[in-house]
Amino acid sequence: QMPLVESGGGLVQPGGSLRLSCAASGSTLDYYAIAWFRQAPGKKRERVSCISSSDGISDYADSVKGRFTISRDPAKNTVALQMNSLKPEDTAVYYCAAYRAPLGSRCHQGKYDYWGQGTQVTVSS
């Protein structure tokens, strides 16, 4: 059992910024790889970013590289996604997901076992 809750979504103008947060209860996120996915209506789910266990490596989709940053806050047991220079095509429901991962390992391309409920991000003028 690994409850995940996303927060921080909302409406922002193009070029603006939002910071999403993924919070967990019951387990420390240090021992899990944590990813942010997004899905817009009519489009496939896309992995935006992932960070491995606490000493691991972060990955980014080409579409967000250089604009988004994933980070951990061990003191709060959260993982954040800082989104800068937002574009209308970033509009989607954003989900936090996790799987148990060895320390130092890179995020895999396989199954994520735990998911949050999603938070809506809308980029519009």
Side-chain angles (χ1 to χ4, degrees):
Q1 196 169 14
M2 182 66 166
L4 298 174
V5 179
E6 305 96 334
S7 62
L11 175 64
V12 65
Q13 294 183 344
S17 298
L18 285 173
R19 187 177 179 88
L20 306 183
S21 180
C22 176
S25 61
S27 298
T28 175
L29 293 177
D30 291 349
Y31 303 108
Y32 293 82
I34 308 296
W36 287 95
F37 290 81
R38 67 185 182 188
Q39 188 164 28
K43 300 182 70 175
K44 292 182 177 180
R45 188 178 63 196
E46 174 188 27
R47 195 180 79 177
V48 175
S49 183
C50 182
I51 188 166
S52 189
S53 52
S54 60
D55 59 347
I57 300 171
S58 59
D59 292 315
Y60 299 92
D62 289 342
S63 58
V64 307
K65 196 170 297 182
R67 300 188 296 120
F68 292 10
T69 303
I70 192 169
S71 62
R72 294 179 178 269
D73 187 342
K76 297 181 179 180
N77 198 33
T78 60
V79 173
L81 184 69
Q82 179 67 43
M83 305 185 295
N84 298 325
S85 302
L86 284 163
K87 305 173 181 179
E89 51 263 43
D90 295 318
T91 296
V93 177
Y94 284 70
Y95 298 90
C96 178
Y99 69 93
R100 185 110 185 187
L103 294 175
S105 63
R106 193 161 189 163
C107 291
H108 70 191
Q109 301 297 324
K111 181 182 178 182
Y112 286 77
D113 299 305
Y114 309 101
W115 293 78
Q117 82 290 346
T119 186
Q120 176 70 47
V121 171
T122 302
V123 184
S124 177
S125 60

